[in-house]
Amino acid sequence: MISGAAAAKTFVYCSEGSPEGFDPSLYTAGTTFDAAAHTVYNRLLEFKPGTTETVPGLAEDYEISEDGLEYTFKLRPGVKFQTTDFFTPTRDFNADDVIISFERQWKKDHPWHSYVPGANWEYFVGMGLPDLIESIEKVDDMTVRFKLKRPEAPFLASLAMPFASIMSKEYLDKLEAEGNMQLLNQQPVGTGPFQFVAYQQDAVIRYKANPDYWNGKQKIDDLVFAITPDASVRYQKLKAGECHLMPFPNAADVEEMKADPNLKVMEQEGLNVAYLAYNTKVAPFDNVKVRKALNHAINKEAIVDAVFQGLATPAKNPIPPTMWSYNDDIEDDAYDLDQAKKLLEEAGVSNLSMKLWAMPVSRPYMLNARRAAEIIQSDFQKIGVNAEIVSYEWAEYLERSKAEDRDGAVMLGWTGDNGDPDNFLHTLLGCEAVGGNNRAQWCNEEFNNLVMQAKQVTDVEERTRLYKEAQVVFKREAPWATLVHSVAIVPMRKEVVGFVQSPLGDFAFEGVDLAE
């Protein structure tokens, strides 16, 4: 007879890296969102699994005023915060929790605004929310009203994103009273499907099913993130049954995975882009001719073949072709070494030495950044440019690459977080995101005006026209070399059921089970 303990179901996810922390509002990396936002927390609205459509979450209903400036949310009654070894709640979720979750990111004088060193609320700021929100009011215990200074077409989608995760005010008050505020980023408490148990740095994160979850207790009893940065090692563990699902396989392994009777492989066009961001504030990358020259020197087809085995397409725009408003009329900077040399000569630049940054982890948009960087390094060599490849541990890489005096070009990418072009064009390239998500440190007034205008109109045709025009400006000014859009591949053991591949690149385990 199987005892209750032996029958408990454990699901192991071989994750690709360590989270930067466990407060999802502080960060923008998918690795961190998977480990905190999609396990421990909920938001007012959620994305319906497998789509970019918003559905009720901690808010069961909402009303928008006719002028588009007021959003009133009716909160879900009876939602419990998690009871853990380090916190026992005495009340259910209410409006106070919503207000503190946003005000700490918004108000510079809020006691929680700078609770960890360097807190800059990169997403909240990069999306322009500090200048958008007029007020957040508690109408009553179960009703919250957001007042905006201007209409904002992507506002509801923004509230379903990880940075908008809802905290427990009671837990925050307890930590503040004890003088232990930094523990919020190490011991999270939310309303989500799984509750945090323990984290062993760079090795393993343990969670258990939240017994009081408002959307029903999970079929998995224990969830384990086995942190495994090497894609080949992740695959070995998957084959051996040591983990049930892995992200970002080596492209060269995909055919073998598909042939393995013990595995199944999901795939879809990724809502993503990989790019190389020049620091447009630092010479000679402040000169568009230099940026264009480097763009003409990159052989994107070689990257598609070597890194993705063909499971990607060369990118010409900063948004993927699967996204509405994609401007297909734009011509890419063709691979043309003669043109590249000519532009460098016109810019008066010779013997250029630069840093070429490559991520230390696999990402959905770039499976092997080191390999891609080596190809680009060799391409640059052909036009007399000497590129030194540099890298850092993932959290440090993300932090250092924001510096406005950073040298050279940073390889990064993005998977859309809400299905709206604003989430690429404004979040990554808007003036408000300089020093944060805008790694090119590029503030172009013409581009910025177009994307700001597009935020404020609800008509999709008009928004599309503005975004297409913004892509023309982007291509002309070349703050990035756009590299590739990849196909997202998710291999798992055949006994995994209920996992839904997300167009937003999330790895979320609500509703997942293991068949007997």
Side-chain angles (χ1 to χ4, degrees):
M1 195 176 92
I2 299 174
S3 72
K9 280 187 185 174
T10 298
F11 187 98
V12 182
Y13 169 56
C14 275
S15 72
E16 78 286 2
S18 303
E20 300 149 280
F22 289 91
D23 179 349
S25 308
L26 289 170
Y27 308 106
T28 62
T31 315
T32 302
F33 294 160
D34 293 338
H38 304 311
T39 46
V40 177
Y41 291 105
N42 293 118
R43 289 138 292 282
L44 291 174
L45 302 174
E46 302 282 354
F47 290 111
K48 182 179 171 185
T51 76
T52 57
E53 177 195 334
T54 56
V55 293
L58 294 178
E60 55 181 9
D61 201 7
Y62 60 84
E63 284 175 11
I64 307 172
S65 63
E66 270 186 36
D67 61 8
L69 295 178
E70 289 187 11
Y71 289 71
T72 305
F73 293 91
K74 276 289 186 206
L75 305 183
R76 186 179 295 278
V79 174
K80 310 261 180 258
F81 279 99
Q82 296 150 358
T83 298
T84 68
D85 293 347
F86 45 86
F87 177 66
T88 304
T90 65
R91 64 159 176 83
D92 289 354
F93 157 74
N94 68 27
D96 295 333
D97 305 311
V98 176
I99 288 170
I100 199 168
S101 299
F102 289 96
E103 284 195 341
R104 70 194 187 113
Q105 302 183 61
W106 176 36
K107 298 192 167 175
K108 290 191 168 129
D109 59 354
H110 196 280
W112 281 90
H113 190 72
S114 301
Y115 83 96
V116 290
N120 66 359
W121 311 103
E122 198 174 335
Y123 231 132
F124 188 85
V125 172
M127 295 196 62
L129 293 175
D131 298 325
L132 174 69
I133 296 172
E134 177 75 48
S135 64
I136 308 174
E137 298 165 6
K138 174 179 174 175
V139 179
D140 58 47
D141 267 357
M142 299 311 288
T143 315
V144 175
R145 182 174 296 133
F146 287 75
K147 289 189 176 172
L148 308 184
K149 294 178 187 172
R150 57 170 192 268
E152 171 89 348
F155 187 63
L156 289 174
S158 299
L159 294 183
M161 288 165 57
F163 80 91
S165 294
I166 303 300
M167 306 282 144
S168 158
K169 181 177 189 295
E170 190 181 12
Y171 180 49
L172 269 64
D173 288 348
K174 171 185 181 280
L175 292 177
E176 189 177 357
E178 292 169 353
N180 277 333
M181 292 167 81
Q182 78 289 348
L183 285 183
L184 178 64
N185 203 23
Q186 297 159 33
Q187 297 182 331
V189 170
T191 57
F194 297 97
Q195 57 193 57
F196 175 84
V197 176
Y199 173 43
Q200 193 181 332
Q201 179 83 32
D202 300 332
V204 66
I205 317 171
R206 296 184 189 281
Y207 311 86
K208 66 178 186 182
N210 175 4
D212 304 316
Y213 186 43
W214 59 269
N215 205 21
K217 182 180 179 294
Q218 298 303 297
K219 298 182 176 98
I220 302 166
D221 299 292
D222 296 292
L223 175 64
V224 176
F225 277 36
I227 297 165
T228 316
D230 187 304
S232 302
V233 178
R234 289 199 292 278
Y235 180 28
Q236 291 308 319
K237 286 185 175 181
L238 188 70
K239 275 202 290 200
E242 291 170 31
C243 58
H244 296 102
L245 187 144
M246 67 169 274
F248 322 135
N250 288 323
D253 293 333
V254 172
E255 285 313 308
E256 187 184 302
M257 288 172 168
K258 287 179 176 175
D260 187 332
N262 294 313
L263 303 181
K264 54 186 176 183
V265 178
M266 289 183 178
E267 64 180 86
Q268 63 178 219
E269 289 291 330
L271 195 71
N272 63 37
V273 64
Y275 62 82
L276 200 58
Y278 304 113
N279 188 346
T280 60
K281 284 192 169 181
V282 172
F285 309 103
D286 55 347
N287 184 334
V288 68
K289 284 188 173 177
V290 173
R291 303 195 296 266
K292 282 281 191 187
L294 296 171
N295 284 5
H296 280 297
I298 297 173
N299 184 348
K300 296 178 194 179
E301 290 290 355
I303 295 173
V304 168
D305 293 344
V307 179
F308 295 92
Q309 313 280 308
L311 291 169
T313 52
K316 64 181 181 180
N317 287 328
I319 62 173
T322 46
M323 180 166 260
W324 61 272
S325 84
Y326 179 81
N327 190 342
D328 205 21
D329 295 336
I330 281 174
E331 277 193 39
D332 202 5
D333 299 321
Y335 176 52
D336 185 338
L337 297 175
D338 291 336
Q339 178 64 3
K341 288 174 188 165
K342 179 169 169 276
L343 285 168
L344 280 182
E345 203 175 309
E346 285 176 17
V349 171
S350 57
N351 300 324
L352 174 59
S353 287
M354 63 182 285
K355 295 246 189 334
L356 179 59
W357 293 48
M359 294 94 69
V361 292
S362 312
R363 305 305 305 133
Y365 46 77
M366 184 50 71
L367 299 177
N368 187 334
R370 166 66 62 166
R371 182 76 191 94
E374 285 164 357
I375 291 167
I376 296 168
Q377 180 185 45
S378 162
D379 288 339
F380 285 176
Q381 198 75 57
K382 291 168 191 162
I383 59 164
V385 172
N386 181 36
E388 179 200 349
I389 300 172
V390 295
S391 193
Y392 301 92
E393 183 275 323
W394 187 216
E396 189 182 352
Y397 184 96
L398 290 168
E399 192 53 46
R400 280 179 177 245
S401 61
K402 293 178 207 166
E404 294 187 39
D405 59 354
R406 182 204 77 234
D407 179 24
V410 162
M411 194 184 300
L412 261 177
W414 196 253
T415 300
D417 282 316
N418 66 11
D420 196 291
D422 174 78
N423 180 244
F424 284 77
L425 299 175
H426 181 260
T427 302
L428 301 179
L429 292 156
C431 291
E432 284 163 307
V434 168
N437 277 328
N438 187 338
R439 296 305 203 284
Q441 317 299 352
W442 181 67
C443 176
N444 177 283
E445 203 175 324
E446 185 185 358
F447 177 91
N448 207 62
N449 287 343
L450 288 165
V451 296
M452 289 304 288
Q453 251 178 290
K455 271 178 170 294
Q456 294 174 56
V457 287
T458 48
D459 178 60
V460 174
E461 268 183 43
E462 176 60 7
R463 292 189 77 203
T464 297
R465 185 188 69 74
L466 291 163
Y467 286 137
K468 283 188 167 180
E469 215 177 303
Q471 288 164 76
V472 172
V473 179
F474 166 88
K475 203 67 194 175
R476 184 188 76 218
E477 297 300 322
W480 295 354
T482 48
L483 299 174
V484 298
H485 307 292
S486 74
V487 175
I489 307 277
V490 184
M492 64 197 79
R493 301 285 304 175
K494 71 173 192 301
E495 59 268 27
V496 175
V497 290
F499 180 82
V500 180
Q501 190 173 3
S502 165
L504 306 171
D506 306 330
F507 286 84
F509 300 100
E510 183 171 352
V512 172
D513 195 6
L514 294 168
E516 293 303 330

